[in-house]
Amino acid sequence: MANEPIKQSDHRPTTTTTGAATLPHGLTKTQIVVALAIAGVSDVLGAFVTLVPAVGWGVDIATAVLLFLVLGWNWLLLPGLVMEAIPGIGVFPFWCVVVVAIAIWGTPRPKLKSLRNREQENPP
């Protein structure tokens, strides 16, 4: 049982062979906590550097890179980067919202296996 593959379909946390709990979309709780800490620090810094856009952009790019490193490629990070780049609205904690959204829903990806199965069942 220790070498069973992780089921990604149900919405309950599972355990990997190393004992780390994973969420339904494959991220560990540690990844989410680290990403939320990065997002929180970035949002606090972003609120103080709103008046200096070049510094704010640097903070946002560094945050996006760090979140990509921690969470992997997640499409939901890109709208967060765009929203943070708009002058004046950087005081809203978009990075925290994005990380919480990823923690809850994962990232929007097409389910290629289900699409292939449908094509095989219903050929054109």
Side-chain angles (χ1 to χ4, degrees):
M1 284 210 175
N3 292 329
E4 282 185 12
I6 299 170
K7 293 175 88 177
Q8 298 291 327
S9 60
D10 57 1
H11 294 286
R12 294 172 294 167
T14 57
T15 305
T16 63
T17 56
T18 61
T22 58
L23 299 172
H25 42 73
L27 297 173
T28 64
K29 290 182 181 180
T30 304
Q31 285 175 301
I32 298 298
V33 169
V34 170
L36 199 53
I38 292 168
V41 169
S42 175
D43 284 335
V44 168
L45 286 175
F48 290 109
V49 298
T50 301
L51 299 176
V52 186
V55 175
W57 295 335
V59 169
D60 291 333
I61 290 171
T63 301
V65 168
L66 288 172
L67 290 176
F68 278 124
L69 290 174
V70 171
L71 299 173
W73 181 260
N74 279 289
W75 286 104
L76 289 177
L77 292 174
L78 296 177
L81 182 60
V82 169
M83 294 305 291
E84 287 285 346
I86 297 173
I89 63 171
V91 295
F92 187 77
F94 282 111
W95 286 122
C96 289
V97 170
V98 167
V99 170
V100 169
I102 290 170
I104 293 172
W105 296 299
T107 189
R109 290 186 194 137
K111 298 188 187 243
L112 296 178
K113 288 182 182 178
S114 65
L115 291 175
R116 286 185 199 135
N117 291 341
R118 257 191 251 152
E119 288 176 2
Q120 289 174 353
E121 291 172 0
N122 302 321

